[in-house]
Amino acid sequence: MAMDRWRLGAPERRQLDETPLVLIADTAHGPRIEAANRAGAAAGARAGMMLADARTLCPEIATAPSDPAGDLAFLEKLAVWAQRWGPWSAMDAPDGLLVDVTAVPHLFGGEEKLVADVAAAFARRELAVRCAIAPTAGAAWALSHYAASGTILGACDDAEARLGELPVAALRLDQDVVTVLRRLGLKKLGELTTIGRDAIQRRFRNRKSPAANPLIRLDQLLGLVPEPLLPVVPQQMPLVQRRLLEPIRHRQLLDQVVSDLADDMARELEGRGEGARRLEIGLWRVDGEVTVRRLELAAATREAAHIVRLFASKLDDIDAGFGIEMLRLRASWAEPLALDQGDIEAAAETHGIALSALVDRLAVRLGAQAVTRPVPFASHIPERAQRWQPPLEPEPASQGQLAFHKRPLKLLDKAERIAVLYATPDGYPQRFRWRGEVHEVNRVEGPERIAPEWWRERGATRLRDYYRIEDQRGRRYWIYRLGIVGDGRGGAPDWYLQGLSA
C-alpha cells in the first residue's frame, strides 16, 4: 500500500517502476526499509531490512522517505470508497480492508463478478489488490494473504479442509507466536487440530490477546467465536444511492440527482414510518476521492423538497474534478414519524413542522451551534440556573422553580466585584461603588443565603448572601456578599453585583 500510494498522483514516479526503489524510515540504528517496489524486491530489498544491508545487495537502489500517517489516511479514504461493495467497511492497518458483503453479491451478478468488479476498480486506480470472500473476517484475511487472489469460500464449503493447507501465519498471530508454533513442528492450520486443543491450551494458557493465542484465532477463523470489528454501521439505516452511467460535472445535473435521491429517501422513510434527523450524502468521484456532507435536522422529516433545499447550500463548494460517478444518501439518524396525512396545514401547526423547517434553514445558514434556546437547569447558583440546548429538543426533567425566589430580569454574564460600605460583621449594605459611580442604598431586602453546591465544588467555596437593593435614583440591583467573617475559608468577605432589576 505504501509503494502504491507513493506512485499515485505523480506520473514522473511511474518512470521509476523499473528502477530498484525503496521507502525508508529513520531508526536509531539507521534507515530501515518500509516498502520496496518490484524491481527493489527482485534486487533483494525487503520491508524491515536495514538500508545498509540492501545496498550491499544492490548499490544503485533509490530511496524516498516513507509516510506512515499518510498511508493510514489514505487507507481510511480507501475504506470509505470500498463501501460501494457493502454497507460498511473496516480498516485492517497497515494495508488491509474488511468489507461486509452480506446479501450484496446478487447486486453484482454473483460473488465471482463481485470479485472481478473489485479487481477492476482497483486496477483503474493503479493499486495492486488481493481479495477473497469468506463467511468470517479471519478466513477472508487468511485467503486474501495466503491463497490465490479472488478465492471464494462459501458458507456451505468445508472451511477446515479449505483452510487447512494454509500456513499458521494465516491466523494473524504475532511473529513470536508463529515462531513458537514452527518450532513445535506446526506449520499448517490443519496440523493445529491434530495435536488437540488441550495441548495448545496448556502451551498458551497465559496468552489472553487474540493475536497471541492460536486457539482464539482459530475459533475466530472458523466462526466459533465472534470477532467484533469497527466501525459497525447498522445495516437497517435508510440508504439510497445512484450509480451514474456517465460521470457528472455540472451543478444542474448534480441538483437533479440529489432531488431524485431525496425522493427515494422520502419513499424509503415513509415505508418504515420514520423521519430523518441526520442525513449524510456521499459523492464518489472518478479519481477515487469521496466527499461527504452531513445535515442534522431539528425535527424528523421526510419532505424531499425540504431536504433538497438544505443540501443546496452545502454542495456549493463541491469540486467535481473529472466527474462524480456515484451518489449515496444515508439517514444515519431516523425517528418514528406518523403516517397520518389529513390536513397538511393543520398538521404543520400541530406538529410544529413549519417551525422545524425554519430552524433547519437557520442552522444551515448560521451553523448548528448558533440556533439554541435557554432552558432551566437544576442549580441554585444563579449563573448555573440555565443552559442552552437545540431549539426543539424537549426540556430535561427538573424540579419546578420555587415561587418565592425572586430573580432580577437581567443577569450579568459574570458577576462584577464592587466596593460596599456596610456595618460589620453582617450588616446591611449602605453604599457601594460600581463602574466608578457611587450609589447610596435607600432600601434593602434580604439576605437570601445560597450555600455552595458541595457535590460539584471544593470544600473551601464560600456561601453567598444575596440582597435586593434600591439606590437613591430608584434603580434596583442584585448584589451578594461572598462569605462571612470568620468562616475560616478566606479573609474579609467580597461583594459582587450580579443582576439588574427593572
Side-chain angles (χ1 to χ4, degrees):
M1 184 65 69
M3 187 57 70
D4 287 338
R5 191 184 71 84
W6 190 83
R7 293 177 68 250
L8 286 177
E12 61 274 11
R13 295 176 183 170
R14 301 171 191 172
Q15 300 176 1
L16 298 174
D17 285 351
E18 304 302 326
T19 303
L21 173 69
V22 295
L23 301 182
I24 59 173
D26 291 329
T27 66
H29 303 287
R32 184 181 61 196
I33 296 176
E34 297 293 327
N37 67 350
R38 292 182 179 177
R46 297 287 185 274
M49 179 185 290
M50 304 306 293
L51 178 61
D53 298 334
R55 287 196 184 280
T56 60
L57 301 174
C58 181
E60 64 274 9
I61 196 167
T63 62
S66 65
D67 182 14
D71 291 340
L72 191 62
F74 178 73
L75 184 63
E76 186 175 6
K77 290 184 178 180
L78 203 63
V80 177
W81 175 72
Q83 290 181 4
R84 59 175 58 204
W85 295 297
W88 64 269
S89 62
M91 292 193 301
D92 182 35
D95 57 359
L97 293 176
L98 294 169
V99 181
D100 182 9
V101 296
T102 305
V104 171
H106 72 281
L107 299 176
F108 295 85
E111 293 178 337
E112 292 79 5
K113 293 186 178 180
L114 172 60
V115 171
D117 187 71
V118 172
F122 275 86
R124 286 195 295 271
R125 298 192 65 175
E126 300 184 6
L127 293 174
V129 63
R130 295 173 59 86
C131 62
I133 296 180
T136 64
W141 190 95
L143 292 172
S144 62
H145 284 73
Y146 295 97
S149 180
T151 301
I152 299 174
L153 178 64
C156 300
D157 296 337
D158 187 354
E160 292 191 36
R162 293 281 302 275
L163 300 171
E165 295 300 320
L166 299 182
V168 292
L171 286 179
R172 297 173 292 165
L173 296 168
D174 294 337
Q175 187 56 42
D176 60 329
V177 180
V178 175
T179 302
V180 171
L181 292 175
R182 288 174 177 169
R183 288 176 179 173
L184 295 175
L186 303 174
K187 298 181 180 179
K188 297 182 180 180
L189 296 183
E191 296 172 353
L192 289 176
T193 58
T194 60
I195 63 173
R197 294 178 62 90
D198 294 341
I200 302 177
Q201 179 66 30
R202 285 195 298 272
R203 180 63 179 82
F204 297 96
R205 62 180 180 275
N206 295 326
R207 306 291 183 96
K208 305 300 182 184
S209 171
N213 193 314
L215 286 182
I216 297 178
R217 283 302 194 195
L218 189 61
D219 290 342
Q220 291 178 345
L221 184 80
L222 301 177
L224 301 179
V225 295
E227 181 181 0
L229 299 172
L230 292 176
V232 178
V233 180
Q235 300 181 30
Q236 295 79 14
M237 66 176 57
L239 185 148
V240 295
Q241 69 179 20
R242 290 292 174 94
R243 295 175 181 270
L244 307 177
L245 294 177
E246 294 291 337
I248 58 175
R249 300 183 58 187
H250 302 290
R251 178 59 188 271
Q252 184 178 3
L253 297 175
L254 177 62
D255 291 340
Q256 181 60 48
V257 178
V258 172
S259 177
D260 295 340
L261 284 176
D263 291 336
D264 294 345
M265 177 58 72
R267 287 191 289 272
E268 178 75 15
L269 291 171
E270 186 177 5
R272 304 161 65 101
E274 296 179 338
R277 287 293 307 273
R278 184 184 296 123
L279 291 165
E280 298 174 358
I281 187 169
L283 299 93
W284 274 256
R285 295 191 343 190
V286 175
D287 57 2
E289 291 294 325
V290 181
T291 303
V292 178
R293 293 286 186 271
R294 294 179 177 82
L295 182 68
E296 189 158 322
L297 304 169
T301 183
R302 52 174 175 264
E303 184 183 354
H306 182 53
I307 296 174
V308 172
R309 279 196 300 271
L310 297 179
F311 268 124
S313 60
K314 289 185 172 291
L315 300 179
D316 289 339
D317 59 342
I318 290 294
D319 180 11
F322 294 104
I324 299 172
E325 61 177 353
M326 190 178 81
L327 290 92
R328 175 181 294 176
L329 181 61
R330 182 174 64 177
S332 56
W333 178 15
E335 292 181 345
L337 187 61
L339 294 174
D340 57 333
Q341 185 171 1
D343 186 353
I344 296 179
E345 295 298 331
E349 294 177 358
T350 303
H351 300 292
I353 296 176
L355 177 60
S356 65
L358 173 63
V359 172
D360 289 339
R361 293 185 186 182
L362 291 176
V364 170
R365 181 171 299 178
L366 304 176
Q369 305 300 325
V371 186
T372 56
R373 70 180 177 113
V375 293
F377 179 74
S379 175
H380 52 260
I381 302 300
E383 61 269 25
R384 299 174 185 163
Q386 81 175 20
R387 289 188 174 181
W388 296 87
Q389 70 173 30
L392 298 184
E393 291 290 329
E395 292 186 9
S398 62
Q399 295 182 347
Q401 186 177 5
L402 300 179
F404 57 85
H405 284 170
K406 296 179 180 178
R407 295 291 181 262
L409 293 179
K410 177 177 176 57
L411 280 181
L412 301 181
D413 292 337
K414 183 179 181 181
E416 298 182 13
R417 190 169 182 175
I418 58 176
V420 177
L421 177 64
Y422 67 103
T424 58
D426 55 357
Y428 290 127
Q430 300 175 358
R431 182 185 302 164
F432 71 95
R433 179 187 295 274
W434 179 50
R435 294 183 178 178
E437 184 179 358
V438 177
H439 301 263
E440 297 290 341
V441 178
N442 287 350
R443 295 185 176 87
V444 179
E445 186 179 6
E448 175 190 352
R449 177 160 294 181
I450 297 180
E453 294 178 335
W454 54 267
W455 60 92
R456 183 178 292 129
E457 298 174 334
R458 295 177 300 176
T461 303
R462 311 182 80 174
L463 56 81
R464 301 179 184 183
D465 283 336
Y466 279 85
Y467 295 89
R468 289 184 290 275
I469 61 175
E470 180 180 314
D471 67 359
Q472 72 276 14
R473 296 182 181 178
R475 293 175 297 192
R476 297 181 178 181
Y477 305 90
W478 201 41
I479 67 175
Y480 70 86
R481 181 182 60 206
L482 183 64
I484 57 177
V485 176
D487 59 4
R489 299 180 178 180
D494 295 322
W495 288 80
Y496 293 88
L497 190 149
Q498 192 168 18
L500 305 174
S501 300

